Coordinates of all heavy atoms in Angstrom, one line a residue:
M69 N 88.9 101.7 118.1 CA 89.2 100.3 117.7 C 88.6 99.3 118.7 O 88.9 99.5 119.9 CB 90.7 100.1 117.5 CG 91.0 98.7 116.9 SD 92.8 98.6 116.7 CE 92.9 97.5 115.4
A70 N 87.9 98.3 118.3 CA 87.4 97.4 119.2 C 88.4 96.5 119.8 O 89.4 96.2 119.2 CB 86.3 96.5 118.5
E71 N 88.2 96.1 121.1 CA 89.1 95.3 121.7 C 88.4 93.9 122.1 O 87.2 94.0 122.5 CB 89.6 95.8 123.0 CG 90.5 97.1 122.8 CD 91.0 97.7 124.1 OE1 90.1 97.8 125.0 OE2 92.2 97.9 124.2
Y72 N 89.0 92.8 121.9 CA 88.4 91.6 122.0 C 89.1 90.7 123.2 O 90.4 90.7 123.2 CB 88.5 90.7 120.7 CG 87.7 91.4 119.6 CD1 88.3 92.3 118.8 CD2 86.3 91.1 119.5 CE1 87.5 92.8 117.8 CE2 85.6 91.7 118.5 CZ 86.2 92.6 117.7 OH 85.5 93.2 116.6
I73 N 88.3 90.1 124.0 CA 88.7 89.3 125.1 C 88.0 88.0 125.0 O 87.0 87.9 124.4 CB 88.6 89.9 126.5 CG1 87.1 90.3 126.7 CG2 89.5 91.2 126.6 CD1 86.9 90.9 128.1
K74 N 88.5 87.1 125.8 CA 87.9 85.7 125.8 C 86.7 85.7 126.7 O 86.8 86.2 127.9 CB 88.9 84.6 126.3 CG 90.0 84.3 125.3 CD 90.8 83.2 125.9 CE 92.0 82.9 124.9 NZ 92.9 81.9 125.4
R75 N 85.6 85.3 126.2 CA 84.3 85.2 127.1 C 84.6 84.3 128.3 O 84.2 84.7 129.4 CB 83.3 84.6 126.2 CG 81.9 84.4 126.9 CD 80.9 83.9 126.0 NE 80.6 84.8 124.9 CZ 80.2 84.5 123.7 NH1 79.9 83.2 123.5 NH2 80.0 85.3 122.7
R76 N 85.4 83.2 128.1 CA 85.6 82.3 129.2 C 86.4 83.0 130.4 O 86.1 82.8 131.5 CB 86.4 81.2 128.7 CG 86.6 80.1 129.8 CD 87.5 78.9 129.3 NE 87.1 78.5 128.0 CZ 87.8 77.7 127.2 NH1 89.1 77.3 127.7 NH2 87.5 77.5 126.0
S77 N 87.2 84.0 130.0 CA 88.1 84.8 131.0 C 87.1 85.6 131.8 O 87.2 85.7 133.1 CB 89.1 85.6 130.4 OG 90.0 84.9 129.7
V78 N 86.1 86.2 131.2 CA 85.1 87.1 132.0 C 84.2 86.2 132.9 O 84.0 86.5 134.0 CB 84.2 87.8 131.0 CG1 83.1 88.6 131.7 CG2 85.0 88.8 130.2
H79 N 83.9 85.0 132.4 CA 83.1 84.1 133.3 C 83.9 83.6 134.4 O 83.4 83.5 135.5 CB 82.6 82.8 132.4 CG 81.6 83.1 131.4 ND1 81.1 82.2 130.5 CD2 80.9 84.3 131.1 CE1 80.2 82.8 129.7 NE2 80.1 84.0 130.1
S80 N 85.1 83.4 134.2 CA 86.1 83.0 135.2 C 86.2 84.1 136.3 O 86.2 83.8 137.5 CB 87.4 82.7 134.7 OG 88.4 82.4 135.7
I81 N 86.3 85.3 135.9 CA 86.3 86.5 136.9 C 85.1 86.4 137.7 O 85.1 86.5 138.9 CB 86.5 87.8 136.2 CG1 87.9 87.9 135.7 CG2 86.2 88.9 137.1 CD1 88.2 89.0 134.8
I82 N 83.9 86.3 137.1 CA 82.6 86.3 137.7 C 82.6 85.2 138.7 O 82.1 85.4 139.9 CB 81.5 86.3 136.7 CG1 81.4 87.6 135.9 CG2 80.1 86.0 137.5 CD1 80.4 87.5 134.7
E83 N 83.0 84.0 138.3 CA 83.0 82.8 139.2 C 83.9 83.0 140.3 O 83.5 82.6 141.6 CB 83.4 81.5 138.4 CG 82.4 81.2 137.3 CD 81.0 80.9 137.9 OE1 80.9 80.2 139.1 OE2 80.0 81.2 137.4
Q84 N 85.0 83.6 140.1 CA 86.0 83.7 141.2 C 85.6 84.7 142.3 O 85.9 84.7 143.5 CB 87.3 84.1 140.7 CG 88.0 83.0 139.9 CD 89.4 83.4 139.2 OE1 89.8 84.6 139.4 NE2 89.9 82.6 138.4
T85 N 85.0 85.8 141.7 CA 84.7 87.0 142.7 C 83.4 87.0 143.2 O 83.1 87.4 144.3 CB 85.0 88.3 141.9 OG1 84.1 88.3 140.8 CG2 86.4 88.4 141.5
G86 N 82.4 86.5 142.5 CA 81.0 86.6 142.9 C 80.5 88.0 142.7 O 81.3 89.0 142.8
T87 N 79.3 88.2 142.4 CA 78.8 89.5 142.1 C 78.3 90.3 143.2 O 78.2 91.5 143.3 CB 77.6 89.4 141.1 OG1 76.6 88.5 141.6 CG2 78.1 88.9 139.7
L88 N 78.1 89.7 144.4 CA 77.6 90.3 145.5 C 78.7 91.1 146.4 O 78.3 92.0 147.0 CB 76.8 89.3 146.5 CG 75.6 88.7 146.0 CD1 75.0 87.6 146.8 CD2 74.6 89.7 145.5
T89 N 79.8 90.5 146.4 CA 80.9 91.1 147.2 C 81.8 91.9 146.4 O 82.6 92.6 146.9 CB 81.7 89.9 147.9 OG1 82.3 89.1 146.8 CG2 80.9 89.1 148.8
F90 N 81.7 92.1 145.1 CA 82.6 92.8 144.3 C 81.9 94.1 143.8 O 80.8 94.0 143.3 CB 83.0 91.9 143.1 CG 84.5 91.9 142.8 CD1 85.3 91.4 143.8 CD2 85.0 92.2 141.5 CE1 86.6 91.4 143.5 CE2 86.3 92.2 141.3 CZ 87.2 91.8 142.3
T91 N 82.6 95.1 143.9 CA 81.9 96.4 143.5 C 82.0 96.5 141.9 O 82.8 95.8 141.4 CB 82.6 97.7 144.1 OG1 84.0 97.7 143.6 CG2 82.6 97.6 145.5
R92 N 81.2 97.3 141.4 CA 81.2 97.5 139.9 C 82.6 97.9 139.4 O 83.0 97.4 138.4 CB 80.1 98.5 139.6 CG 80.0 98.7 138.0 CD 78.9 99.7 137.8 NE 77.6 98.9 138.0 CZ 76.5 99.2 137.4 NH1 76.5 100.1 136.5 NH2 75.4 98.5 137.6
S93 N 83.2 98.9 140.1 CA 84.5 99.4 139.6 C 85.6 98.3 139.7 O 86.4 98.2 138.9 CB 84.8 100.6 140.4 OG 85.1 100.3 141.8
K94 N 85.4 97.5 140.7 CA 86.5 96.4 140.8 C 86.3 95.4 139.7 O 87.2 94.8 139.2 CB 86.4 95.7 142.2 CG 87.1 96.4 143.3 CD 87.1 95.6 144.6 CE 87.8 96.4 145.7 NZ 87.7 95.6 147.0
M95 N 85.0 95.1 139.4 CA 84.7 94.2 138.3 C 85.2 94.8 136.9 O 85.8 94.0 136.2 CB 83.1 94.0 138.2 CG 82.8 92.9 137.3 SD 83.1 91.3 137.9 CE 81.8 90.9 139.0
H96 N 85.0 96.0 136.7 CA 85.5 96.7 135.5 C 87.0 96.6 135.5 O 87.6 96.3 134.5 CB 85.1 98.2 135.4 CG 83.7 98.4 134.9 ND1 83.3 98.2 133.6 CD2 82.6 98.5 135.5 CE1 82.1 98.4 133.5 NE2 81.6 98.7 134.7
K97 N 87.7 96.8 136.6 CA 89.2 96.8 136.7 C 89.6 95.4 136.4 O 90.6 95.2 135.6 CB 89.6 97.1 138.0 CG 91.0 97.5 138.2 CD 91.3 98.0 139.6 CE 92.9 98.5 139.6 NZ 93.2 99.0 140.9
Q98 N 89.0 94.3 136.8 CA 89.4 93.0 136.5 C 89.2 92.7 135.1 O 90.0 92.1 134.4 CB 88.5 92.0 137.3 CG 88.8 91.9 138.8 CD 90.2 91.2 139.0 OE1 90.5 90.2 138.4 NE2 90.9 91.7 140.0
V99 N 88.1 93.1 134.5 CA 87.8 92.8 133.0 C 88.8 93.6 132.2 O 89.4 93.1 131.2 CB 86.4 93.2 132.7 CG1 86.2 93.1 131.1 CG2 85.4 92.2 133.4
D100 N 89.1 94.9 132.6 CA 90.1 95.6 131.9 C 91.5 95.1 131.9 O 92.3 95.4 131.1 CB 90.1 97.1 132.4 CG 88.8 97.8 131.9 OD1 88.1 97.4 131.0 OD2 88.6 98.9 132.6
S101 N 91.7 94.3 133.0 CA 93.1 93.7 133.0 C 93.4 92.5 132.2 O 94.5 92.0 132.0 CB 93.4 93.3 134.5 OG 92.7 92.2 134.9
L102 N 92.3 92.0 131.5 CA 92.4 90.8 130.7 C 93.2 91.2 129.4 O 93.0 92.3 128.9 CB 91.1 90.3 130.4 CG 90.3 89.7 131.5 CD1 88.9 89.3 131.0 CD2 90.9 88.4 132.0
P103 N 94.0 90.3 128.9 CA 94.7 90.5 127.7 C 93.8 90.5 126.5 O 92.8 89.9 126.5 CB 95.7 89.4 127.6 CG 95.1 88.2 128.4 CD 94.3 89.0 129.5
T104 N 94.1 91.4 125.6 CA 93.2 91.5 124.4 C 93.8 90.7 123.2 O 95.0 90.4 123.3 CB 93.0 93.0 123.9 OG1 94.3 93.6 123.7 CG2 92.4 93.8 125.0
T105 N 93.0 90.4 122.2 CA 93.5 89.6 121.1 C 93.2 90.4 119.9 O 92.2 91.1 119.7 CB 92.7 88.3 121.1 OG1 92.9 87.6 122.3 CG2 93.1 87.4 119.9
D106 N 94.2 90.3 118.9 CA 93.9 90.9 117.5 C 93.0 90.0 116.8 O 93.2 88.8 116.7 CB 95.3 91.0 116.8 CG 96.2 92.1 117.4 OD1 95.7 93.0 118.1 OD2 97.4 91.9 117.2
V107 N 91.9 90.6 116.2 CA 91.0 89.8 115.4 C 90.8 90.6 114.1 O 90.7 91.8 114.1 CB 89.6 89.8 116.2 CG1 88.6 89.1 115.5 CG2 89.8 89.1 117.6
V108 N 90.7 89.7 113.1 CA 90.4 90.3 111.8 C 89.2 89.6 111.3 O 89.1 88.4 111.5 CB 91.6 90.2 110.8 CG1 92.8 91.0 111.2 CG2 92.0 88.8 110.6
P109 N 88.4 90.2 110.4 CA 87.2 89.6 109.9 C 87.7 88.5 108.8 O 88.7 88.8 108.1 CB 86.4 90.6 109.2 CG 87.3 91.8 109.1 CD 88.4 91.6 110.1
V110 N 86.9 87.4 108.8 CA 87.2 86.4 107.8 C 86.5 86.7 106.5 O 85.3 86.8 106.6 CB 86.9 85.0 108.3 CG1 87.1 83.9 107.3 CG2 87.7 84.6 109.5
I111 N 87.2 86.8 105.4 CA 86.5 86.9 104.2 C 86.3 85.5 103.6 O 87.2 84.7 103.5 CB 87.4 87.7 103.2 CG1 87.8 89.0 103.6 CG2 86.8 87.8 101.7 CD1 88.9 89.8 102.9
R112 N 85.0 85.2 103.3 CA 84.7 83.9 102.8 C 84.3 84.0 101.3 O 83.6 84.9 100.9 CB 83.4 83.4 103.6 CG 83.8 83.2 105.1 CD 82.7 82.5 105.9 NE 82.9 82.6 107.3 CZ 83.6 81.8 107.9 NH1 84.3 80.8 107.2 NH2 83.9 81.9 109.2
G113 N 84.9 83.0 100.7 CA 84.7 82.9 99.2 C 84.4 81.5 98.7 O 84.4 80.6 99.6
S114 N 84.2 81.3 97.5 CA 84.0 80.0 97.0 C 84.7 79.8 95.7 O 84.9 80.8 94.9 CB 82.6 79.6 96.8 OG 81.9 80.5 95.9
W115 N 85.1 78.6 95.4 CA 85.7 78.3 94.0 C 84.5 77.9 93.1 O 83.9 76.9 93.4 CB 86.7 77.2 94.1 CG 88.0 77.5 94.7 CD1 88.5 76.9 95.9 CD2 88.9 78.4 94.4 NE1 89.7 77.4 96.2 CE2 89.9 78.4 95.3 CE3 89.0 79.4 93.3 CZ2 91.0 79.3 95.2 CZ3 90.1 80.2 93.2 CH2 91.1 80.2 94.2
N116 N 84.2 78.7 92.1 CA 83.2 78.4 91.2 C 83.7 77.8 89.9 O 84.7 78.3 89.3 CB 82.4 79.7 90.8 CG 81.8 80.3 92.1 OD1 81.2 79.6 92.9 ND2 81.9 81.6 92.2
L117 N 83.1 76.6 89.6 CA 83.6 76.0 88.4 C 83.4 76.9 87.1 O 82.2 77.3 86.9 CB 82.9 74.7 88.2 CG 83.4 73.8 87.0 CD1 84.8 73.4 87.1 CD2 82.5 72.6 86.9
L118 N 84.4 77.2 86.5 CA 84.3 78.1 85.3 C 84.3 77.3 84.0 O 83.6 77.6 83.1 CB 85.5 79.1 85.3 CG 85.6 80.3 84.5 CD1 84.3 81.2 84.8 CD2 86.8 81.0 84.6
R119 N 85.2 76.2 84.0 CA 85.4 75.4 82.8 C 85.7 74.0 83.1 O 86.6 73.7 84.0 CB 86.4 76.0 81.8 CG 86.4 75.4 80.5 CD 87.5 76.1 79.5 NE 88.8 75.8 80.0 CZ 89.7 76.8 80.2 NH1 89.4 78.1 80.1 NH2 90.9 76.4 80.7
H120 N 85.2 73.0 82.4 CA 85.4 71.6 82.6 C 85.8 71.0 81.2 O 84.9 71.2 80.3 CB 84.2 71.0 83.3 CG 84.4 69.5 83.4 ND1 85.1 68.9 84.3 CD2 83.7 68.5 82.6 CE1 85.0 67.5 84.1 NE2 84.2 67.3 83.1
D121 N 86.9 70.5 81.0 CA 87.2 69.8 79.7 C 87.8 68.4 80.0 O 87.8 68.0 81.1 CB 88.1 70.7 78.8 CG 89.5 70.9 79.5 OD1 90.0 70.1 80.3 OD2 90.1 72.0 79.2
R122 N 88.3 67.9 79.0 CA 88.8 66.5 79.0 C 89.9 66.3 80.1 O 90.0 65.2 80.7 CB 89.3 66.0 77.7 CG 88.3 65.7 76.7 CD 88.8 65.2 75.5 NE 89.8 64.1 75.6 CZ 90.4 63.6 74.7 NH1 90.3 63.9 73.4 NH2 91.4 62.6 74.8
F123 N 90.7 67.4 80.2 CA 92.0 67.2 81.1 C 92.0 67.9 82.4 O 92.6 67.5 83.3 CB 93.1 67.6 80.3 CG 93.3 67.0 78.9 CD1 93.0 67.6 77.8 CD2 93.7 65.7 78.9 CE1 93.1 66.9 76.5 CE2 93.8 65.0 77.7 CZ 93.5 65.6 76.5
S124 N 91.2 69.0 82.5 CA 91.3 69.7 83.7 C 90.0 70.5 84.0 O 89.0 70.6 83.2 CB 92.4 70.9 83.5 OG 92.1 71.7 82.6
D125 N 89.9 71.0 85.3 CA 88.8 71.9 85.7 C 89.4 73.3 86.0 O 90.5 73.3 86.6 CB 88.1 71.3 86.9 CG 87.6 69.9 86.6 OD1 86.9 69.8 85.6 OD2 87.6 69.1 87.5
V126 N 88.7 74.3 85.6 CA 89.2 75.6 86.0 C 88.2 76.3 86.9 O 87.0 76.3 86.6 CB 89.3 76.5 84.7 CG1 89.7 77.9 85.1 CG2 90.4 75.9 83.8
F127 N 88.7 76.7 88.0 CA 87.8 77.4 89.1 C 88.2 78.8 89.2 O 89.4 79.2 89.0 CB 88.0 76.7 90.4 CG 87.6 75.2 90.4 CD1 88.4 74.2 90.1 CD2 86.2 74.9 90.8 CE1 88.0 72.9 90.1 CE2 85.8 73.5 90.8 CZ 86.7 72.6 90.4
Q128 N 87.2 79.6 89.6 CA 87.4 81.0 89.7 C 86.9 81.5 91.2 O 85.9 81.1 91.6 CB 86.6 81.8 88.7 CG 86.9 83.4 88.7 CD 86.3 84.0 87.6 OE1 85.2 83.7 87.1 NE2 86.9 85.0 87.1
C129 N 87.8 82.3 91.8 CA 87.4 82.8 93.2 C 86.2 83.8 93.0 O 86.2 84.7 92.2 CB 88.7 83.5 93.7 SG 88.3 84.4 95.3
S130 N 85.3 83.6 93.9 CA 84.1 84.4 93.9 C 84.5 85.9 94.5 O 83.6 86.8 94.2 CB 83.1 83.8 94.8 OG 83.5 83.7 96.1
E131 N 85.6 86.0 95.1 CA 85.8 87.4 95.6 C 86.8 88.2 94.7 O 86.6 89.4 94.7 CB 86.5 87.2 97.0 CG 85.7 86.5 98.0 CD 84.3 87.1 98.1 OE1 84.3 88.4 98.5 OE2 83.3 86.5 97.9
C132 N 87.8 87.5 94.1 CA 88.8 88.4 93.3 C 88.8 88.0 91.9 O 89.5 88.7 91.1 CB 90.2 88.3 94.0 SG 91.0 86.7 93.8
G133 N 88.2 86.9 91.5 CA 88.3 86.4 90.1 C 89.5 85.7 89.7 O 89.7 85.2 88.6
R134 N 90.4 85.4 90.7 CA 91.6 84.5 90.3 C 91.1 83.2 89.8 O 90.2 82.6 90.3 CB 92.4 84.4 91.6 CG 93.5 83.5 91.4 CD 94.4 83.3 92.7 NE 95.4 82.4 92.5 CZ 95.7 81.3 93.4 NH1 94.9 81.2 94.5 NH2 96.6 80.5 93.2
K135 N 91.9 82.6 88.9 CA 91.5 81.3 88.3 C 92.6 80.4 88.7 O 93.8 80.7 88.7 CB 91.4 81.5 86.8 CG 90.2 82.3 86.4 CD 90.3 82.5 84.9 CE 89.3 83.6 84.4 NZ 89.4 84.1 83.1
V136 N 92.2 79.2 89.0 CA 93.1 78.0 89.2 C 92.7 76.9 88.4 O 91.5 76.7 88.1 CB 93.2 77.7 90.6 CG1 93.7 78.8 91.6 CG2 91.8 77.2 91.2
S137 N 93.7 76.1 88.0 CA 93.3 74.9 87.1 C 93.9 73.6 87.8 O 95.0 73.6 88.4 CB 94.1 75.1 85.8 OG 93.8 74.0 84.9
L138 N 93.1 72.6 87.7 CA 93.4 71.3 88.4 C 93.2 70.2 87.5 O 92.2 70.4 86.6 CB 92.6 71.1 89.7 CG 92.7 72.1 90.9 CD1 91.7 71.8 91.9 CD2 94.2 71.9 91.4
T139 N 94.0 69.2 87.5 CA 93.7 68.0 86.7 C 92.5 67.3 87.4 O 92.3 67.5 88.6 CB 94.9 67.1 86.7 OG1 95.3 66.8 88.0 CG2 96.0 67.6 85.9
H140 N 91.8 66.5 86.6 CA 90.6 65.8 87.1 C 91.0 65.0 88.4 O 92.1 64.4 88.4 CB 90.0 65.0 86.1 CG 89.4 65.7 84.9 ND1 88.3 66.5 85.2 CD2 89.6 65.8 83.6 CE1 88.0 67.1 84.1 NE2 88.7 66.6 83.1
G141 N 90.1 64.8 89.3 CA 90.3 64.0 90.4 C 91.0 64.8 91.6 O 91.1 64.2 92.7
R142 N 91.4 66.0 91.5 CA 92.0 66.7 92.5 C 91.0 67.6 93.2 O 90.1 68.2 92.5 CB 93.2 67.4 92.1 CG 94.2 66.5 91.4 CD 95.5 67.2 91.1 NE 96.3 67.4 92.3 CZ 97.4 68.0 92.3 NH1 98.0 68.5 91.2 NH2 98.1 68.1 93.4
D143 N 91.0 67.7 94.5 CA 90.0 68.4 95.2 C 90.5 70.0 95.3 O 91.5 70.2 95.8 CB 89.9 67.8 96.7 CG 88.8 68.6 97.5 OD1 88.2 69.7 97.1 OD2 88.5 68.1 98.5
V144 N 89.7 70.8 94.8 CA 90.2 72.2 94.7 C 90.3 72.8 96.1 O 91.2 73.6 96.4 CB 89.2 73.1 93.8 CG1 87.7 73.2 94.6 CG2 89.8 74.4 93.7
L145 N 89.4 72.4 97.1 CA 89.5 72.9 98.4 C 90.7 72.4 99.2 O 91.4 73.1 100.0 CB 88.3 72.6 99.2 CG 87.0 73.4 98.8 CD1 85.9 73.0 99.7 CD2 87.3 74.8 99.1
E146 N 91.1 71.1 98.8 CA 92.4 70.5 99.4 C 93.7 71.3 98.8 O 94.5 71.5 99.6 CB 92.4 69.1 99.1 CG 93.5 68.3 99.8 CD 93.4 66.8 99.6 OE1 92.3 66.2 99.8 OE2 94.4 66.2 99.1
Q147 N 93.6 71.5 97.6 CA 94.7 72.2 97.0 C 94.8 73.7 97.3 O 95.9 74.3 97.5 CB 94.6 72.1 95.5 CG 94.8 70.7 95.0 CD 96.2 70.0 95.3 OE1 97.2 70.7 95.1 NE2 96.2 68.9 95.8
F148 N 93.6 74.4 97.4 CA 93.6 75.8 97.6 C 92.5 76.2 98.6 O 91.4 76.6 98.3 CB 93.2 76.6 96.3 CG 94.2 76.3 95.2 CD1 93.9 75.4 94.2 CD2 95.4 77.0 95.2 CE1 94.8 75.1 93.2 CE2 96.3 76.7 94.2 CZ 96.0 75.8 93.1
P149 N 92.8 75.9 100.0 CA 91.8 76.2 101.0 C 91.6 77.8 101.2 O 90.6 78.1 101.6 CB 92.3 75.5 102.2 CG 93.8 75.3 102.0 CD 93.9 75.3 100.5
Y150 N 92.6 78.5 100.8 CA 92.5 79.9 100.8 C 93.0 80.4 99.4 O 93.9 79.8 98.8 CB 93.5 80.5 101.9 CG 93.1 80.2 103.3 CD1 93.5 79.0 103.9 CD2 92.3 81.1 104.0 CE1 93.1 78.8 105.2 CE2 91.9 80.9 105.2 CZ 92.3 79.7 105.9 OH 91.9 79.4 107.1
C151 N 92.3 81.5 99.0 CA 92.8 82.2 97.8 C 93.9 83.1 98.0 O 94.1 83.5 99.2 CB 91.6 82.9 97.1 SG 92.0 83.7 95.6
H152 N 94.7 83.6 97.1 CA 95.7 84.5 97.3 C 95.2 85.9 97.9 O 95.9 86.6 98.5 CB 96.5 84.8 96.0 CG 97.4 83.6 95.7 ND1 98.2 83.6 94.6 CD2 97.5 82.4 96.3 CE1 98.8 82.5 94.6 NE2 98.4 81.7 95.6
C153 N 93.9 86.2 97.6 CA 93.3 87.4 98.2 C 93.0 87.3 99.6 O 92.6 88.3 100.2 CB 92.0 87.8 97.3 SG 90.6 86.6 97.6
G154 N 93.2 86.2 100.2 CA 93.0 86.0 101.6 C 91.6 85.3 102.0 O 91.4 85.1 103.1
A155 N 90.8 85.1 101.0 CA 89.4 84.5 101.2 C 89.6 83.1 101.7 O 90.4 82.3 101.1 CB 88.5 84.6 100.1
K156 N 88.8 82.7 102.7 CA 88.7 81.3 103.1 C 87.6 80.7 102.3 O 86.5 81.1 102.3 CB 88.3 81.2 104.6 CG 88.3 79.8 105.1 CD 88.0 79.7 106.6 CE 88.0 78.4 107.1 NZ 87.8 78.3 108.6
M157 N 88.1 79.6 101.5 CA 87.1 79.1 100.5 C 86.2 78.0 101.1 O 86.7 77.2 102.0 CB 87.9 78.5 99.4 CG 89.0 79.5 98.8 SD 88.2 81.1 98.5 CE 87.8 80.9 96.8
S158 N 85.0 77.9 100.5 CA 84.1 76.9 100.9 C 83.8 76.0 99.7 O 84.2 76.3 98.7 CB 82.8 77.5 101.4 OG 82.0 78.0 100.4
A159 N 83.1 74.9 100.0 CA 82.8 74.0 99.0 C 81.7 74.4 98.0 O 81.5 73.9 96.9 CB 82.4 72.6 99.5
E160 N 81.0 75.5 98.4 CA 79.8 75.9 97.6 C 80.3 76.2 96.2 O 81.1 77.1 96.1 CB 79.2 77.1 98.3 CG 78.0 77.6 97.6 CD 77.4 78.7 98.4 OE1 77.3 78.5 99.7 OE2 77.1 79.8 97.9
G161 N 79.8 75.6 95.2 CA 80.2 75.8 93.8 C 81.5 75.3 93.5 O 81.9 75.5 92.3
G162 N 82.2 74.6 94.4 CA 83.5 74.2 94.1 C 83.6 72.7 93.7 O 84.7 72.2 93.4
S163 N 82.6 72.0 93.5 CA 82.6 70.7 93.1 C 81.8 70.4 91.9 O 80.9 71.1 91.5 CB 82.2 69.7 94.3 OG 80.8 70.0 94.6
I164 N 82.1 69.4 91.2 CA 81.3 69.0 90.1 C 80.7 67.6 90.2 O 81.1 66.9 91.1 CB 82.2 69.0 88.8 CG1 83.4 68.3 88.9 CG2 82.4 70.5 88.4 CD1 84.3 68.2 87.7
Ligands
ZN585 ZN1 90.4 85.4 95.6

């Protein structure tokens, strides 16, 4: 499993220690001592306009097919910035 650390923290170690006076093993030890962070990939989706009628707009999630209905004048991204499937929604295809 991959482990993630802050790039800034590594830069800070390099700045504090200098590369000429620090052995490779000490540098590895310093980097290994940094706290790791849990990272999950972001699933990106979009609300695609499925139907537009006199009273409402129906949008469908590009990732799972979930449908949401909004009255005219409401911003789908403001109401549903994330779908229930976890996808982070973008404006692509989400406006009329
Ligand atoms: Zn979805």
Side-chain angles (χ1 to χ4, degrees):
M69 182 182 210
E71 295 180 310
Y72 297 90
I73 56 175
K74 290 181 182 177
R75 181 178 297 152
R76 187 181 320 162
S77 298
V78 175
H79 289 177
S80 177
I81 288 173
I82 292 170
E83 292 299 319
Q84 289 173 7
T85 60
T87 55
L88 295 177
T89 59
F90 228 59
T91 65
R92 181 178 287 211
S93 65
K94 282 185 178 179
M95 189 72 79
H96 280 282
K97 194 172 184 176
Q98 286 288 321
V99 171
D100 288 346
S101 71
L102 293 172
T104 58
T105 300
D106 292 336
V107 176
V108 295
V110 176
I111 300 168
R112 299 186 187 279
S114 61
W115 290 117
N116 298 318
L117 182 62
L118 195 63
R119 191 177 68 237
H120 171 78
D121 62 28
R122 281 181 52 182
F123 305 105
S124 64
D125 297 320
V126 178
F127 295 91
Q128 186 172 34
C129 173
S130 63
E131 299 305 303
C132 70
R134 175 181 174 230
K135 296 173 189 169
V136 295
S137 180
L138 294 172
T139 55
H140 289 299
R142 300 184 81 178
D143 184 351
V144 68
L145 288 177
E146 190 176 304
Q147 295 295 312
F148 302 101
Y150 291 87
C151 181
H152 288 181
C153 69
K156 183 176 182 179
M157 307 311 268
S158 70
E160 189 173 308
S163 60
I164 51 174

